[in-house]
Structures are given as structure tokens and as C-alpha cells.
């Protein structure tokens, strides 16, 4: 069944020429393909979420979806094997360069379908840089979009990573990728990057979990995921109606 949106990578350049103009909204999914998520979730957890959300947007909105960005700015997880981060400046420039490349063919509105938290900082810097080029960049703030939904179903004492909520979302969208028999409660309030060393600066987490993943449930994941999808679609429609900054 045809969808309103299209995947850029599935087009020929001739088809892309027809799809890209000044009215096009480009969606750039952003999700880590190599970032620790405790002993029960895979390193590509955020990549999986980004792909899922992109498919939901594809089915509901007239957009062009660019290839998913799998590497970005994740400095809080580098002590855990397999986790990869870019430098902040590299992450900023990666999005800037993608948008400038596509803007050459007409588009001036870009939306980063963002699945991270540390990612907001380089994305804000990218938005500022692109505004100077007459381009409008917006991005998902998942904490803000799903805050009410999270409050309505969260039972854990605290947490934000590979926790009750993130694990519940994965149980809803990709249960085959969740090993609930390895889920743990690992919550030590602190500040700074996660660390495996209890004597080091930062937030101690032996497992890489920050919260209580054992409380995860499919129903909680449905509530939070559907709130995220609704918020993202609303973000995109606001972007579509907003005017880009003046061209230099």
C-alpha cells in the first residue's frame, strides 16, 4: 500500500529530483547503532527505535526520509565496550553537511528524528549554523514530547537509560530484541557520565542501566511510544508551516 512519505535511498536520482523542492520536509532519523543499553538490550537499541519511528512517520506524513544516522554524540557511555561517540563538533557538522547537501536541490526545512538526550546539544548548534544559511532545522526532544505519558506509567524511583521506560518501549516495538531475564534494577543517583567504577567521578552503574528495567511492561511501552509518535508528527506539521530564515 502506498505511503505518503518516501525513503530517499529507495529513489533514483531522477525520482529524487522530482521529490525535492522548496516545500519538501526532509526527515533525518538519528539513532545510535553502537551504544550500550545494559545487559538486556542491544547496542543498536536507538537505531531500532529511530527506524521504527521513521516508518511511522513514513506512513502518516508527506515527507522525504533520509538514511538513518547511526553515529553521533554519546559521551556518557564510552566506558562500556562497543559504545561509540563522535566529538561534539563532528556531530554538529555531520548534520550541517547532510542538510546543506540536500538543500542544494531545493529543501529548506529539515527535521532530525532524534532518539537521544546528549544529542540535543550538537543538534542545537547545527540548527544555529544552518539558520545562517537560510535553512530551518528542528529536532525531537523525546523527554518533552513524552513527559506526561512517562509520568502516567512510571513506577521506578528514577532513571533515564535502559530503564523501565526505554525497555518498555522496546517491548512494544521490538520485543524479540529484549532479554527480560537479564533486566536489572541499577539506580544510583548522581551526575555526569555513567561509570563502571564505583570510585570514579560520574554516575555509577555496573550494568549500564540507569533505572529499574525489571519494571518494564508492553503496555507502558505502548503509552509512551504512541505519545512520541503523536508528538513527532505534530512537530513535523509545525515545521512544514513555519517560514525558514532569510537566505544570506
Amino acid at each position: 500500500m502506498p505511503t505518503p512519505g518516501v525513503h530517499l535511498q529507495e529513489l533514483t536520482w531522477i525520482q529524487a529530483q522530482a521529490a525535492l523542492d522548496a516545500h519538501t520536509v526532509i526527515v533525518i532519523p538519528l539513532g545510535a547503532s553502537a551504544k550500550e543499553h545494559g545487559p538486556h538490550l542491544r547496542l543498536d537499541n536507538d537505531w531500532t527505535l529511530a527506524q521504527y519511528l521513521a516508518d511511522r512517520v513514513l506512513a502518516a506524513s508527506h515527507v522525504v526520509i533520509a538514511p538513518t544516522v547511526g553515529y553521533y554524540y554519546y559521551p556518557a557511555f564510552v566506558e562500556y565496550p562497543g559504545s561509540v561517540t563522535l566529538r561534539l563538533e563532528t556531530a554538529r557538522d555531520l548534520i550541517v553537511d547532510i542538510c546543506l547537501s540536500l538543500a542544494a536541490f531545493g529543501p529548506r526545512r529539515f527535521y532530525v528524528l532524534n532518539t537521544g538526550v546528549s544529542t540535543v546539544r550538537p543538534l542545537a548548534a547545527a540548527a544555529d549554523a544552518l539558520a545562517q544559511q537560510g535553512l530551518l532545522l528542528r529536532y525531537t526532544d523525546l523527554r518533552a514530547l513524552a513527559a506526561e505519558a512517562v509520568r502516567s506509567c512510571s513506577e521506578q524511583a528514577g532513571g533515564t537509560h535502559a530503564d523501565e521506560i526505554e525497555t518498555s518501549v522496546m517491548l512494544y516495538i521490538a520485543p524479540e530484541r529484549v532479554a527480560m531475564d537479564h533486566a536489572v534494577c541499577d539506580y544510583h543517583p548522581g551526575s555526569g557520565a555513567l561509570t563502571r567504577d564505583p570510585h570514579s567521578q560520574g554516575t555509577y552503574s555496573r550494568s549500564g542501566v540507569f533505572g529499574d528495567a525489571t519494571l518494564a511492561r508492553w503496555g507502558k511501552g505502548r503509552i509512551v511510544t504512541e505519545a512520541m509518535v503523536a508528538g513527532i508528527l505534530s512537530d513535523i506539521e509545525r515545521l512544514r508551516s513555519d517560514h525558514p530564515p532569510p537566505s544570506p
Side-chain angles (χ1 to χ4, degrees), residues 191-225:
S191 61
L194 294 186
T195 177
R196 302 160 69 196
D197 181 354
H199 306 295
S200 178
Q201 290 186 340
T203 302
Y204 174 59
S205 175
R206 180 176 180 274
S207 67
V209 170
F210 184 55
D212 189 350
T214 68
L215 295 173
R217 301 292 185 272
W218 181 92
K220 296 174 185 178
R222 179 182 62 81
I223 291 170
V224 174
T225 301

Side-chain angles (χ1 to χ4, degrees), residues 26 31 51-52 55 60 65 68 78 87 90 108 125 139 144 148-149 154 162 180 182 193 206 212 216 242-243 245:
I26 302 288
Q51 296 288 84
Y52 173 86
D55 285 343
I65 298 182
T68 300
V78 294
R87 290 177 295 111
T90 304
R108 297 181 65 194
Y139 46 86
E148 185 174 343
S154 181
M180 280 302 293
H182 293 295
R206 180 176 180 274
D212 189 350
D242 285 347
H243 295 290

Side-chain angles (χ1 to χ4, degrees), residues 50 58-59 70 73 104 130 134 172 183-184 189 195 225 228 243:
L58 181 82
Y73 183 63
L130 289 166
Y172 179 61
V184 298
T195 177
T225 301
M228 290 192 298
H243 295 290

Side-chain angles (χ1 to χ4, degrees), residues 133-145:
Q133 302 296 321
L135 303 177
L136 188 56
L137 174 70
R138 299 278 172 76
Y139 46 86
T140 316
D141 183 344
L142 287 181
R143 285 185 171 181
L145 286 186

Side-chain angles (χ1 to χ4, degrees), residues 23 43 58 94 96 123 135 184 193 240:
H23 302 290
L43 291 170
L58 181 82
L94 174 60
V96 168
L123 287 173
L135 303 177
V184 298
R240 195 188 306 277

Side-chain angles (χ1 to χ4, degrees), residues 28-97:
I28 305 169
L30 173 60
S33 54
K35 184 178 101 179
E36 75 85 9
H37 279 82
H40 65 299
L41 298 175
R42 292 170 30 161
L43 291 170
D44 68 351
N45 186 84
D46 290 358
W47 172 277
T48 301
L49 177 59
Q51 296 288 84
Y52 173 86
L53 293 173
D55 285 343
R56 292 290 299 271
V57 170
L58 181 82
S61 185
H62 186 71
V63 295
V64 172
I65 298 182
T68 300
V69 175
Y71 294 108
Y72 212 61
Y73 183 63
Y74 306 108
F77 309 99
V78 294
E79 286 194 17
Y80 301 83
S83 299
V84 176
T85 188
L86 303 181
R87 290 177 295 111
L88 188 147
E89 297 81 6
T90 304
R92 176 200 62 201
D93 291 347
L94 174 60
I95 295 298
V96 168
D97 287 353

Side-chain angles (χ1 to χ4, degrees), residues 15-33:
Q15 293 168 324
Q17 180 174 251
L20 301 175
D21 59 36
H23 302 290
T24 303
V25 174
I26 302 288
V27 173
I28 305 169
L30 173 60
S33 54

